[in-house]
Structure formats: C-alpha cells, structure tokens
C-alpha cells in the first residue's frame, strides 16, 4: 500500500530507523545520508536480526522483502537497500546476484576478476558500460511500504583502482568523472548537493527521492 499523506511518515522517521542491512559499507552510507535529517540508523546486525533469503526477481522485490522482514522482527520502521552492478556486456549480470558473486567470503577482488574474465571471454566491445542501481524500500509497522530507485551509469576499468568505498567501487568510473568510486571519498560518492541537484551515486539518488517525499519540512 502506498502512503497518501507523508506527514505521519515524517513523524515516524524522526529519531531512529532500522537499516535493514548486514553490509557494513551500505550501513555507513545510509547513516551518513540520514544524519543531516536528525535520524539515526541502527543496523540489522546490531539488533540481532537474521538475514532473510533474497528470493525476489527484482531489486525492488528484494528491497521490500528485506525491509518488511526487519519491520516484522523489530516492530520499528525499516529502510532496506537492494542494489547491484549491471554490466551491459554480460546481459545485466551480476545484477541482483552482485553480492552472491563475491561468495560466502565476500571476496570482491574475486568477483571483480570474474567480471573482467567473463567480459574478455564474451569478446564484449569496449568501453565496458555498466550501471549501479539501488532500490530503497521503507517499510512501516502498519504494513505500508514505499520504494525509491536511483541509478548511475558509467564504465568499468581494470585493474581495479582505489581502496575507498566497498564492493565493486574500485572498477566503476561514473560518467563525467576520471576517478572510480573506489578513489572517491564518501562526500564525493554519496554527498547530497545543497542546491538540490542530483547526487552522484545510485543510493544517494534513490535517497534524494525518499527525502523529497518524506523528509522535507
Ligand atoms: P544486505 O542485503 O544485507 O543489505 P548485501 O551485500 O547482500 O547486503 P545486496 O543483496 O543488495 O546487499 O547486494 C548488493 C551488492 O552489490 C553488494 O554486496 C555490493 O557488493 C554491490 N554494491 C551495491 N551498491 C554498491 C556500491 O555503492 N558500491 C559498490 N558495490 C555496491
């Protein structure tokens, strides 16, 4: 169900929200995105919440599933992110399987090497286009849920560059920039421009939509 009136949502958001993620990199970004609004995000792991199985076929479905699982278990409003890297030369892979490509050990060096290997063996023409996408789902204890999506396009670079960020950041160079996300600090990657112009990262762009709807006073 989509909320018609954002005002109650705003009131519920003030204070604290559960960030329905077990990914420390994402949790850090979500905390930074919410903090200017005076909202504290507490991670799923800190609350002892288990990770739901991501059975959805879309980013949106998986974001909703994770947010609702966290709301159901905690009784509090929860914000989940389902995101991934979609590579044109690989038919959109790893896509919703982006985390899985890193395996149980969360070895992203291996996952990035696999992307390069598969692009080479597919003979994919360069430049290797890709985009990051984020679906942010905000679930309320009364069953309401809202989803906001953001996307950023760019090119893949090998070898990976930079040790900042997390996941696939070192191989993704957003359009219009010479550095990869792995070479950018957090302000550059997901800072929210004060003039309201679009943020850079997929997650920050999705968050801007959420903030526009729910966090303006
Ligand atoms: P949660 O489900 O607990 O939130 P997860 O890591 O399993 O954590 P996803 O299922 O959404 O999250 O997987 C998305 C993967 O895509 C994530 O593990 C990253 O490797 C990658 N990814 C998403 N956003 C990214 C970003 O901003 N920078 C680099 N990699 C990113």
């Amino acid at each position: 169900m989509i909320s018609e009136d954002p005002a109650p949502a705003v009131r519920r958001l003030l204070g604290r929200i559960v960030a329905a993620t077990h990914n420390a990199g994402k949790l850090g970004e979500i905390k930074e995105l919410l903090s200017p609004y005076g909202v504290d995000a507490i991670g799923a792991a800190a609350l002892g919440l288990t990770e739901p199985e991501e059975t959805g076929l879309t980013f949106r479905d998986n974001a909703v599933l994770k947010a609702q699982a966290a709301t159901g278990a905690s009784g509090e409003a929860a914000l989940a992110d389902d995101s991934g890297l979609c590579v044109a030369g690989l038919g959109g892979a790893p896509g919703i399987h982006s985390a899985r490509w890193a395996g149980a050990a969360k070895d992203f060096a291996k996952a990035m090497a696999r992307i390069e290997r598969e692009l080479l063996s597919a003979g994919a023409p360069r430049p290797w286009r890709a985009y990051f996408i984020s679906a942010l789902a905000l679930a309320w204890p009364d069953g309401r849920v809202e989803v906001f999506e953001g996307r950023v396009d760019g090119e893949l670079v090998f070898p990976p560059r930079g040790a900042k960020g997390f996941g696939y950041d070192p191989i993704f160079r957003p359009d219009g920039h010479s550095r990869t996300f792995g070479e950018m600090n957090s302000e550059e990657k997901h800072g929210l421009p004060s003039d309201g112009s679009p943020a850079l990262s997929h997650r920050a762009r999705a968050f801007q939509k959420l903030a526009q709807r729910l966090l303006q006073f």
Side-chain angles (χ1 to χ4, degrees):
M1 195 191 340
I2 300 296
S3 169
E4 295 301 327
D5 173 14
V10 171
R11 282 195 291 275
R12 294 294 297 272
L13 260 178
L14 292 174
R16 161 176 132 147
I17 193 167
V18 176
T21 178
H22 287 78
N23 179 321
K26 271 191 205 177
L27 177 60
E29 291 194 6
I30 290 170
K31 277 180 171 289
E32 286 179 13
L33 287 164
L34 283 166
S35 94
Y37 295 93
V39 179
D40 185 30
I42 178 152
L47 289 175
L49 305 182
T50 52
E51 273 189 85
E53 205 189 332
E54 296 185 23
T55 52
L57 297 178
T58 64
F59 293 102
R60 174 177 281 262
D61 287 350
N62 282 329
V64 169
L65 178 155
K66 288 189 274 190
Q68 288 184 325
T71 301
S74 68
E76 296 187 47
L79 179 65
D81 162 287
D82 199 66
S83 47
L85 181 68
C86 301
V87 180
L90 300 180
I96 60 168
H97 299 129
S98 293
R100 268 172 250 179
W101 276 35
K106 301 192 193 303
D107 184 345
F108 282 95
K110 197 170 126 193
M112 291 187 283
R114 177 175 169 188
I115 289 178
E116 182 180 27
R117 200 170 57 244
E118 295 200 7
L119 282 165
L120 288 170
S121 72
R126 295 176 195 253
W128 288 336
R129 301 288 304 163
Y131 64 88
F132 268 122
I133 188 162
S134 162
L136 286 178
L138 183 53
W140 307 101
D142 65 9
R144 284 175 303 129
V145 58
E146 300 190 73
V147 187
F148 306 88
E149 289 190 60
R151 163 179 169 158
V152 57
D153 288 78
E155 289 178 12
L156 299 184
V157 301
F158 293 95
R161 294 192 334 225
K164 297 183 177 127
F166 65 96
Y168 297 95
D169 279 340
I171 58 170
F172 185 80
R173 188 182 59 69
D175 287 344
H177 293 261
S178 56
R179 287 170 301 139
T180 67
F181 273 169
E183 296 171 304
M184 294 184 183
N185 62 36
S186 58
E187 184 59 29
E188 288 173 282
K189 182 185 170 194
H190 58 266
L192 301 176
S194 54
D195 64 0
S197 58
L200 184 55
S201 85
H202 49 310
R203 187 165 299 102
R205 287 179 178 175
F207 186 81
Q208 280 181 313
K209 293 181 187 168
L210 180 153
Q212 200 172 17
R213 169 144 172 83
L214 297 174
L215 296 172
Q216 303 301 321
F217 296 97

